[in-house]
Amino acid sequence: MKAALIGCGGMGSGHARSAPEHGVEVVAFCDVIEAAAERSRAEFGGRYATTDAGRIMRDDSIDLVIIATHHDAHHPLAVAGARAGKHLLVEKPLCQTREQAIEVAEAVDKAGVKLIVNCKFRIAPTVQKGKELIPHPRLSHGQLATGNYALKPPGTGSTWIWDKDDGGGLLISTAVHTVDLLAYLMGSTADRVYAEGRLFDPKNKGTAGYPDGLVGTILWRNGGLSTVISTDQGISHNPWVSKWFHEMWDGERSAVFTAHTGRVDFGGCEIGYLETQELPAEERRKASMLHNLLEAIRTDGETLCDAHDGVQTVAICNALDEAARTGRPQRVVSG
Ligand SMILES: NC(=O)c1ccc[n+]([C@@H]2O[C@H](COP(=O)([O-])OP(=O)(O)OC[C@H]3O[C@@H](n4cnc5c(N)ncnc54)[C@H](O)[C@@H]3O)[C@@H](O)[C@H]2O)c1
């Protein structure tokens, strides 16, 4: 399988590094910054580096395109990729708005290509075990606490996630993982959300007005309920739960996911806990969204987080943002 990488930054490099483990050869590298594309080609090999995404789309030798750009480019690149008949691994979020995400889903369905959104918590062995042991949770909680991205000097690290164009704020940029995992665990689509958001450090202009603390609720169509916390106040990560924390209950059993979903502790289940690090290397290798996408291509099956899942998650994030902005509950229309 031959692939191209668009977006040769931190996450793109991670994909290029792990691709060979899955039998994928990255033959082309594209970035708006020529030096970034060249650097990746030099580091990972491959036939060419380019600033022209169109060249990737026209290249018939490429079956799969990995999109790891800033968020404003996910929509045009994913639509172009699907229309060019490429299978797609798109970094989260699928898009910044529900309308854009629907366009991607339509293009993917029409072209008959496979797409996976890299909402990678879904494939964590701890999460798979949680779904097996607690298939119908009634309540759940998810939280993201980043380490004050907004207070870092502009242009460094992940400060671009606060930019209205490039990023779209912490919720859609990063807490999207948590919203997506709650949707997956609850096994439902969202009906209604409510949220309150605050900018705790008013001197901080770096967030473009997006809240650096948001607490939301999600009512699912199957009657389940979730709470969400998305905050940039986590400069001192709690060593017990890490940057990410999730919990669910079904009335008899419970599961607590800690350590970036590297560990789950169960209550009322036949096993007490599972830690990914204790699993055999082959099982850990398979716990990858790229592996899942390749299986879907090989078997003509579904991916674990397809374009329609991506639409749903973006729709929930948009609705939570709107609720926090307006102070009013919002209906979530996903399809
Ligand atoms: N799944 C995860 O766990 C995870 C973790 C971190 C980041 N991400 C996601 O990965 C993506 C990239 O994040 P990052 O941290 O690597 O950012 P980054 O800034 O390190 O890299 C992004 C690269 O994309 C390039 N780029 C921007 N617009 C482009 C365009 N239109 N065409 C081509 N290249 C373009 C930039 O020049 C940059 O080199 C984002 O979607 C982010 O949310 C996912």
Side-chain angles (χ1 to χ4, degrees):
M1 175 80 54
K2 296 212 175 352
L5 171 67
I6 308 183
C8 303
M11 203 59 204
S13 298
H15 286 301
R17 200 165 293 120
S18 60
E21 283 172 36
H22 302 282
V24 172
E25 186 189 354
V26 184
V27 296
F29 295 86
C30 174
D31 200 289
V32 284
I33 301 170
E34 193 173 359
E38 288 291 355
R39 211 171 27 244
S40 288
R41 201 202 58 77
E43 183 175 354
F44 302 108
R47 290 205 310 262
Y48 60 91
T50 180
T51 56
D52 175 15
R55 181 170 173 195
I56 306 279
M57 304 307 174
R58 292 187 298 274
D59 185 337
D60 289 337
S61 73
I62 291 169
D63 315 293
L64 161 65
V65 176
I66 298 169
I67 299 173
T69 62
H70 295 175
H71 302 154
D72 54 342
H74 290 191
H75 166 247
L77 290 171
V79 169
R83 287 183 182 156
K86 313 295 187 196
H87 301 297
L88 298 162
L89 185 152
V90 185
E91 264 307 336
K92 52 75 188 168
L94 176 56
C95 295
Q96 291 166 306
T97 68
R98 170 184 162 271
E99 291 73 17
Q100 293 172 340
I102 287 172
E103 277 179 34
V104 172
E106 285 172 354
V108 163
D109 288 349
K110 190 165 172 204
V113 295
K114 304 292 175 192
L115 178 149
I116 197 161
V117 187
N118 194 26
C119 281
K120 62 188 181 188
F121 290 160
R122 287 188 181 220
I123 207 160
T126 53
V127 169
Q128 291 298 315
K129 184 52 86 179
K131 270 196 82 74
E132 179 192 323
L133 298 181
I134 310 178
H136 305 295
R138 294 174 177 171
L139 287 148
S140 60
H141 169 69
Q143 73 186 46
L144 158 76
T146 53
N148 275 336
Y149 286 168
L151 298 180
K152 292 179 181 153
T156 63
S158 298
T159 50
W160 60 268
I161 67 157
W162 295 108
D163 187 274
K164 271 202 165 30
D165 297 323
D166 278 15
L170 186 67
L171 180 68
I172 189 109
S173 292
T174 309
V176 64
H177 269 307
T178 281
V179 171
D180 179 79
L181 181 56
L182 292 174
Y184 184 58
L185 292 173
M186 299 305 284
S188 185
T189 53
D191 183 14
R192 198 170 66 228
V193 304
Y194 184 62
E196 294 280 357
R198 285 191 60 193
L199 188 52
F200 281 96
D201 184 353
K203 286 197 294 283
N204 174 18
K205 300 282 189 282
T207 64
Y210 291 109
D212 58 2
L214 180 143
V215 179
T217 58
I218 305 170
L219 171 64
W220 303 95
R221 289 206 168 82
N222 65 6
L225 274 174
S226 300
T227 54
V228 186
I229 291 180
S230 163
T231 180
D232 199 34
Q233 300 291 317
I235 191 128
S236 307
H237 282 149
N238 180 320
W240 299 104
V241 302
S242 81
K243 174 176 162 185
W244 304 99
F245 175 68
H246 300 89
E247 188 168 17
M248 64 177 173
W249 303 264
D250 73 351
E252 290 177 17
R253 292 158 292 209
S254 64
V256 178
F257 301 90
T258 52
H260 285 239
T261 66
R263 180 179 171 106
V264 59
D265 286 88
F266 292 106
C269 296
E270 55 262 36
I271 63 166
Y273 81 98
L274 180 74
E275 256 197 76
T276 303
Q277 278 312 315
E278 293 176 1
L279 296 173
E282 182 56 8
E283 246 176 272
R284 283 185 273 128
R285 186 187 70 82
K286 287 183 178 169
S288 130
M289 294 302 251
L290 178 58
H291 178 81
N292 184 267
L293 172 62
L294 297 172
E295 281 299 292
I297 295 168
R298 193 176 60 77
T299 61
D300 194 20
E302 303 284 309
T303 67
L304 195 57
C305 189
D306 66 18
H308 296 278
D309 296 317
V311 171
Q312 160 78 192
T313 301
V314 170
I316 298 172
C317 290
N318 287 172
L320 284 166
D321 263 336
E322 188 65 7
R325 207 179 54 74
T326 60
R328 293 204 193 89
Q330 302 289 317
R331 288 259 165 228
V332 182
V333 186
S334 48

